Amino acid sequence: MQLELRGITKRFPGVTANDNVNLTLKTGEVLCLIGENGAGKSTLMNVLYGMYKPDEGQIVLDGESVVFTSPADAIAAGIGMLHQHFMLVPVFTVAENVVLGVEPTGRLGSLDIDKAREMVREVSDRYNLNLDPDAIIEDLPVGVQQRVEIVKVLLRDAKVVVFDEPTAVLTPKEIIEFFEIVKTLIAAGRGVVFITHKLKEALNVADRIAVLRRGQVVGEVNPKAASESQIAEMMVGRPVQLIVDKKPHAPGEVVLEVKDLSVVDADGRTMVDHVSFNVRAGEVVGIAGVQGNGQTELVDALTGLRNSTRGSVALDRQDITSASPRVRHAKGIAHIPEDRQRQGLVGGLSVAENLVLTRYHDEEFSNGIIMDWPAAHHAAENLIAEYDVRTPSPDVEASTLSGGNQQKVIVARELSRPLRLSIAAQPTRGVDVGSIEYIHSRIIKERDTGTAVLIVSTELDEVMALSDRLLVMYRGKIVADLDPKVTSAMDVGLYMAGSRPSNTVNA
Amino acid sequence: MSAVDAVVAPLISAEQRKQARSVGFTLVVLGIVAAFVLGNRPGDAGFKLVDSYIFVIPAQPFARILALVLIALGAAQLLKGFGKWTNVVLGIAAATFVISFLAWAASGGSFSFTGMLQDTVTRSVPIILGAIAGIVCERSGIINIAIEGQLLGSAFAGAVVGSLFGPWAGILGAIAMGVALSAILAVFSIRYRVDQVIVGFAINFFALGLTSFLAARVLTEHPDYNILSPLRPIALPLLSDIPVIGVVLFTQTLFVYFAYMAVAIATWSLYHTKWGLRTRAIGEYPKAAGTLGVDVIKLRYRNVLIAGAVAGVGGAWWPIGMVGRFDQNITNGRGFIALAAVIFGRWHPVGALSAALVFGLAEAIQLKMSNLDTGIPSEFLLMAPYLVTLVVVAGFVGRSRGPKAAGQPYDAQ
Ligand SMILES: Nc1ncnc2c1ncn2[C@@H]1O[C@H](COP(=O)(O)OP(=O)(O)OP(=O)(O)O)[C@@H](O)[C@H]1O
Ligand SMILES: [Mg+2]
């Protein structure tokens, strides 16, 4: 199927998200869409998927102009899409989510849930996705949820498949498996649009790369003849430093001390198992690990969102094991959560409100009863400028921002006050290269002013580049304490998989 | 796996612990009440089960033994806990306590126990149907505060149409009114995105005002518009011959049978059909359903209208199933009790049915009590069903979570 977007323009109040965009996609090719946060990638794909009605322009399929008034039309025309944010019903099982909309039915319209399970199992086995059809979505780590989304798309067997930043929440191994899936699709004559902020991935799988900036296509790149820094410059409009620039660290006193900590999940499984470590002032400690090895629970326990069953947590020698999140926050702990949609951001509040969400009770913004909105607004505007949050105004609802800009709002809020300890889970998930550069430099600046920094990331490159010390978590335990300067990514990968390199440097 | 895991595994949340404790205290308090209040009247109480058989309970000894057992159970719950049996223990304890209470009230005389149970079932009908209407709406993401107004409006329509054209036409008229009021709710909350609670309240006031006005103006002048003979109970063959149960469950009007069918159909449809899956999806996360091609807006409209029809039958119960006429504010808050039943029942039809029966029982006991000479002021008795509601909600339901998207308008864009 040949797909063509002609002169697509889509405006939102205050922004032109797509400005006269022309794109084509042929059968059997992978088109990579690259662009800054807020460049209009998701909007363009949502137009294609019938979610938004374009203000101008048309969609042409195999030479015929079509009009989609709803996703149902797009689905019927053979278009499938994996959305940037999860479109999963949290209380449903995997099988229920996968078949929603294409339910297998028996007599009297009854739902054939056995058939649904079988469908999930079949696709999951074929592509090696390893999904339990009966698991409840909200109990699953984000990486697994993403695999559910992939199964949803595969099951519908669309002719053109759009993947909007699928790899942002996948582990390196899952990403390789995902590329295998893309290859299978291409071999079967499907067309694939793939959106990512990781330039390496784009160079790796794309047949063509289209670069979007501020709603317009600014150029097309041949992946065989381009480098990461070239594309980055094209995206952002200036040269971008792709390597973290940092001075040797000078660790001070112990700030965070975790002793013998254990955490169980709702089903009583031990997710964090007798973990001890500490983080010093002026030091970045990274925790690497495959998703689901207890990192989420560890961060929850450190930030007070979940009770520990054993052990202690101390900040500057004061015990905070059972302190509330508010108390921890007041003591100077920042938290950038791994799931920005569920924690960290209130979609229905304005960008400005979100930016002062953790400080609304400070004297600066309220007298205890009445908010000082002008002051809050002023602070918000400064942060928006400083972090280059692309928003038409501080007053729009945070949920209307592009995914990467939502992340920047959270980072801006969390790092904008005096801190003792900063805990960041996937701090640059979904953020474009230009902003990654900025967020990384902010984190390093935090470190240099004497804050203790804990980074939890499944992005191996990121933790290796930022950390001064690297811990690896596997099955709830810390299995390695490494110096990233003298350790290879290969070895870290082995630790993450639960094995041990043969020529051990340190452990 | 270390030894620690074994100790850690059965951990329960602070909330569960609090709930377990409050169950323990309740048992002890019930025991004390049984000892000092229910135990202070000598004499036997006769519970008439069938015409030829009266079951006799000696009120005082029964209450005293019950008191001891309740206090022992309460202590056991506080010290050790019954775990997953807690609710069963509590249920049996509450039922026995109610029997002891009835024995206390009826001591020295006798009353029709079977009749009381029959009343329970009869009176729970509008609550059950109202609750089903609430569940169907809320499961699809529309808060329905307007149940009361829908019941009241359709009771009025049922009375007038029924008086003019007969009971069957009356039921149809009531359904039409229920659907019409639902349509107002649907248009304002889905299309115009007005706050659903406010639309619901507006409908309640509108229904109350309009029916009261029409009843006072039109119906008093034309009494023949407001008189009909209600449907008679139908004794189901064979089933109605079972002692006690036959009378309680199977010698009832069509309304009762319809209510039970509605519960069964709603349960099956919500959990075992394509419609149910989609309905629950649009109540939890409509966008997910929308991106999969489900027409969220259309399904919401459809479900709100279906709910209106069900509430319409519930409203018809007053004139056509029960009293044969319409009176001002005849529903008297039953729609709100239905709303409470939705929440107790945790948005599940069977749960709502159980809750509705508890409310029905409270009503039936209150009716019986006003006939027996107990010395309790009748105003207090009228309060009883609502008191039961409060205690149950505060103590045992705990925090129950409704459909997540309930109350949020959906943007097709
Ligand atoms: N529903 C909406 N209402 C108003 N504005 C919107 C809406 N959706 C997107 N926008 C705006 O349109 C612009 C493009 O957003 P879009 O989500 O397409 O960016 P993106 O390229 O996908 O970015 P990211 O890489 O961060 O996901 C942004 O400025 C955003 O604020
Ligand atoms: Mg996007």
Side-chain angles (χ1 to χ4, degrees):
Chain A
M1 185 162 73
Q2 167 118 0
L3 169 72
E4 217 183 320
L5 297 175
R6 281 193 201 148
I8 300 284
T9 296
K10 175 70 192 169
R11 298 183 195 93
F12 291 114
V15 269
T16 304
N18 294 144
D19 187 359
N20 190 19
V21 174
N22 296 297
L23 270 187
T24 53
L25 177 71
K26 291 191 229 28
T27 335
E29 76 168 354
V30 182
L31 170 68
C32 221
L33 266 189
I34 296 267
E36 286 178 289
N37 297 128
K41 306 179 294 291
S42 299
T43 304
L44 187 66
M45 290 302 112
N46 283 330
V47 166
L48 170 62
Y49 195 60
M51 308 249 296
Y52 295 148
K53 201 165 129 304
D55 295 307
E56 281 158 43
Q58 50 185 340
I59 301 167
V60 180
L61 283 182
D62 288 330
E64 262 179 68
S65 171
V66 289
V67 175
F68 298 151
T69 55
S70 75
D73 294 347
I75 294 169
I79 294 171
M81 178 160 173
L82 182 149
H83 295 264
Q84 184 170 6
H85 295 127
F86 290 132
M87 291 298 168
L88 298 169
V89 181
V91 296
F92 279 12
T93 64
V94 169
E96 287 171 332
N97 266 291
V98 169
V99 299
L100 187 60
V102 289
E103 302 85 351
T105 48
R107 261 180 297 154
L108 288 169
S110 70
L111 185 66
D112 190 346
I113 198 72
D114 289 328
K115 180 90 187 295
R117 280 199 199 99
E118 206 175 293
M119 285 156 76
V120 173
R121 237 178 253 125
E122 200 256 317
V123 178
S124 153
D125 287 350
R126 179 145 41 101
Y127 293 96
N128 224 342
L129 289 166
N130 196 13
L131 285 178
D132 169 11
D134 294 317
I136 305 285
I137 293 295
E138 62 189 354
D139 299 340
L140 298 175
V142 286
V144 182
Q145 294 188 22
Q146 189 67 289
R147 299 209 294 261
V148 178
E149 289 284 27
I150 293 173
V151 170
K152 263 166 69 177
V153 171
L154 293 176
L155 189 84
R156 281 162 177 78
D157 198 25
K159 297 195 197 80
V160 170
V161 188
V162 178
F163 292 102
D164 193 350
E165 290 193 42
T167 56
V169 293
L170 295 180
T171 58
K173 184 164 159 276
E174 287 170 332
I175 291 174
I176 293 170
E177 287 162 1
F178 169 73
F179 288 156
E180 288 302 316
I181 293 175
V182 171
K183 282 190 193 124
T184 323
L185 288 175
I186 292 305
R190 310 290 189 250
V192 172
V193 181
F194 171 48
I195 300 178
T196 183
H197 285 294
K198 301 181 204 168
L199 306 180
K200 234 184 246 157
E201 293 177 357
L203 291 174
N204 195 341
V205 289
D207 294 310
R208 281 186 304 136
I209 300 176
V211 181
L212 243 70
R213 188 158 85 221
R214 297 182 189 257
Q216 291 174 320
V217 177
V218 291
E220 250 189 44
V221 185
N222 178 354
K224 292 186 190 66
S227 72
E228 280 185 56
S229 45
Q230 268 173 323
I231 305 177
E233 184 166 348
M234 207 163 156
M235 266 172 71
V236 185
R238 63 171 169 85
V240 180
Q241 176 131 29
L242 293 171
I243 299 158
V244 180
D245 176 27
K246 62 175 188 185
K247 296 193 291 285
H249 73 311
E253 73 285 1
V254 170
V255 174
L256 174 72
E257 186 169 19
V258 178
K259 260 197 215 149
D260 203 23
L261 192 73
S262 291
V263 182
V264 296
D265 70 3
D267 299 334
R269 282 176 301 188
T270 302
M271 295 306 288
V272 177
D273 195 2
H274 299 262
V275 162
S276 302
F277 65 92
N278 47 40
V279 185
R280 292 168 178 277
E283 173 184 56
V284 178
V285 172
I287 295 189
V290 176
Q291 186 90 40
N293 275 282
Q295 303 98 313
T296 308
E297 289 77 9
L298 175 65
V299 169
D300 282 356
L302 295 181
T303 50
L305 296 174
R306 198 187 282 255
N307 290 331
S308 51
T309 48
R310 165 191 195 104
S312 68
V313 181
L315 184 77
D316 289 325
R317 303 235 171 112
Q318 279 177 305
D319 183 75
I320 54 163
T321 314
S322 48
S324 69
R326 170 88 172 253
V327 168
R328 291 180 207 232
H329 179 264
K331 286 183 187 296
I333 299 184
H335 177 206
I336 299 170
E338 70 170 356
D339 184 349
R340 61 175 167 246
Q341 298 283 303
R342 243 189 299 182
Q343 305 172 335
L345 202 75
V346 184
L349 293 186
S350 74
V351 173
E353 284 165 333
N354 270 290
L355 281 168
V356 298
L357 203 54
T358 52
R359 290 193 295 154
Y360 66 92
H361 43 71
D362 286 3
E363 258 170 48
E364 198 185 336
F365 299 126
S366 82
N367 61 10
I369 297 171
I370 295 171
M371 284 288 295
D372 180 355
W373 282 118
H377 232 95
H378 186 70
E381 266 161 13
N382 286 342
L383 286 175
I384 287 170
E386 193 183 335
Y387 284 82
D388 189 25
V389 178
R390 301 280 166 86
T391 172
S393 104
D395 301 314
V396 299
E397 280 189 13
S399 62
T400 68
L401 293 197
S402 78
N405 281 301
Q406 294 181 5
Q407 182 71 5
K408 287 196 254 176
V409 169
I410 298 173
V411 174
R413 176 185 69 215
E414 293 299 322
L415 298 186
S416 63
R417 60 198 177 94
L419 293 176
R420 285 302 291 155
L421 168 68
S422 159
I423 300 173
Q426 326 286 359
T428 57
R429 171 174 290 172
V431 173
D432 68 46
V433 281
S435 308
I436 289 176
E437 179 192 21
Y438 186 69
I439 291 174
H440 282 174
S441 73
R442 280 306 310 239
I443 289 174
I444 296 301
K445 201 165 125 201
E446 260 326 306
R447 176 198 82 166
D448 292 343
T449 58
T451 306
V453 180
L454 184 67
I455 304 271
V456 180
S457 179
T458 51
E459 201 73 52
L460 198 49
D461 293 342
E462 175 167 52
V463 264
M464 298 254 325
L466 283 174
S467 312
D468 300 311
R469 253 174 66 211
L470 186 61
L471 310 177
V472 181
M473 243 181 132
Y474 177 71
R475 297 218 172 142
K477 286 189 172 22
I478 292 197
V479 294
D481 183 344
L482 309 165
D483 180 350
K485 283 195 290 297
V486 299
T487 315
S488 69
M490 199 56 170
D491 284 354
V492 180
L494 283 173
Y495 280 114
M496 284 167 64
S499 50
R500 196 165 278 266
S502 41
N503 55 338
T504 314
V505 184
N506 50 6
Chain B
M1 290 273 138
S2 60
V4 187
D5 294 337
V7 183
V8 154
L11 262 189
I12 51 170
S13 70
E15 175 139 350
Q16 282 168 313
R17 223 171 303 150
K18 202 180 104 204
Q19 226 168 301
R21 237 190 344 246
S22 72
V23 170
F25 279 121
T26 309
L27 287 170
V28 172
V29 169
L30 286 180
I32 293 171
V33 173
F36 291 99
V37 182
L38 303 185
N40 70 4
R41 279 194 178 193
D44 289 349
F47 286 52
K48 194 155 89 185
L49 294 183
V50 285
D51 281 337
S52 54
Y53 182 68
I54 297 180
F55 187 75
V56 176
I57 294 178
Q60 203 166 36
F62 188 83
R64 291 194 173 146
I65 293 171
L66 175 70
L68 287 180
V69 174
L70 285 176
I71 292 174
L73 286 177
Q77 165 75 9
L78 286 175
L79 293 177
K80 199 159 153 280
F82 292 104
K84 64 178 177 181
W85 296 103
T86 307
N87 283 338
V88 177
V89 170
L90 186 70
I92 294 173
T96 323
F97 183 83
V98 169
I99 289 176
S100 177
F101 173 72
L102 291 169
W104 168 80
S107 57
S110 73
F111 77 104
S112 166
F113 185 63
T114 308
M116 190 190 78
L117 292 183
Q118 197 185 15
D119 271 352
T120 302
V121 171
T122 312
R123 303 208 158 245
S124 61
V125 166
I127 305 177
I128 296 172
L129 293 176
I132 299 286
I135 289 171
V136 170
C137 276
E138 299 210 2
R139 281 289 186 175
S140 35
I142 305 289
I143 295 176
N144 188 358
I145 301 285
I147 303 172
E148 174 75 2
Q150 293 173 334
L151 291 178
L152 189 59
S154 36
F156 178 85
V160 174
V161 179
S163 303
L164 295 175
F165 305 106
W168 295 106
I171 293 177
L172 287 181
I175 291 177
M177 179 60 91
V179 171
L181 290 172
S182 252
I184 300 179
L185 175 67
V187 170
F188 277 95
S189 51
I190 300 173
R191 171 109 200 243
Y192 295 107
R193 310 163 58 94
V194 181
D195 187 297
Q196 294 165 10
V197 174
I198 293 177
V199 183
F201 262 101
I203 291 174
N204 287 337
F205 284 120
F206 170 69
L208 179 62
L210 191 69
T211 56
S212 299
F213 170 77
L214 291 175
R217 281 299 176 82
V218 182
L219 297 189
T220 41
E221 273 171 35
H222 302 273
D224 50 323
Y225 288 4
N226 192 16
I227 179 135
L228 64 125
S229 44
L231 295 182
R232 306 185 151 277
I234 299 173
L236 297 186
L238 293 180
L239 289 174
S240 59
D241 295 335
I242 308 170
V244 186
I245 295 177
V247 176
V248 173
L249 292 180
F250 303 117
T251 314
Q252 294 275 15
T253 60
L254 274 180
F255 282 95
V256 170
Y257 304 135
F258 178 79
Y260 283 85
M261 249 161 58
V263 171
I265 293 174
T267 307
W268 184 75
S269 315
L270 271 174
Y271 294 96
H272 298 283
T273 67
K274 176 169 138 179
W275 171 83
L277 188 73
R278 292 181 173 195
T279 294
R280 286 181 292 134
I282 65 171
E284 283 291 335
Y285 191 9
K287 213 163 166 199
T291 55
L292 292 173
V294 175
D295 192 335
V296 177
I297 302 281
K298 201 161 119 194
L299 188 53
R300 282 192 170 174
Y301 268 113
R302 200 200 305 165
N303 288 353
V304 175
L305 296 183
I306 291 174
V310 176
V313 179
W317 174 81
W318 274 280
I320 300 167
M322 201 55 202
V323 291
R325 51 176 288 129
F326 179 83
D327 291 314
Q328 258 185 46
N329 194 20
I330 195 170
T331 52
N332 196 16
R334 291 300 176 279
F336 294 116
I337 293 200
L339 207 56
V342 171
I343 298 167
F344 288 178
R346 292 171 193 248
W347 290 267
H348 191 294
V350 175
L353 167 69
S354 332
L357 285 174
V358 171
F359 294 133
L361 177 68
E363 255 189 88
I365 291 180
Q366 173 244 314
L367 278 174
K368 271 279 158 330
M369 290 296 106
S370 43
N371 297 336
L372 295 165
D373 169 35
T374 56
I376 304 177
S378 63
E379 289 81 2
F380 189 79
L381 285 174
L382 284 173
M383 257 165 59
Y386 308 98
L387 212 63
V388 171
T389 314
L390 271 181
V391 171
V392 177
V393 177
F396 310 116
V397 174
R399 212 176 308 142
S400 61
R401 219 196 82 199
K404 222 189 197 140
Q408 294 166 12
Y410 179 73
D411 247 329
Q413 266 269 338

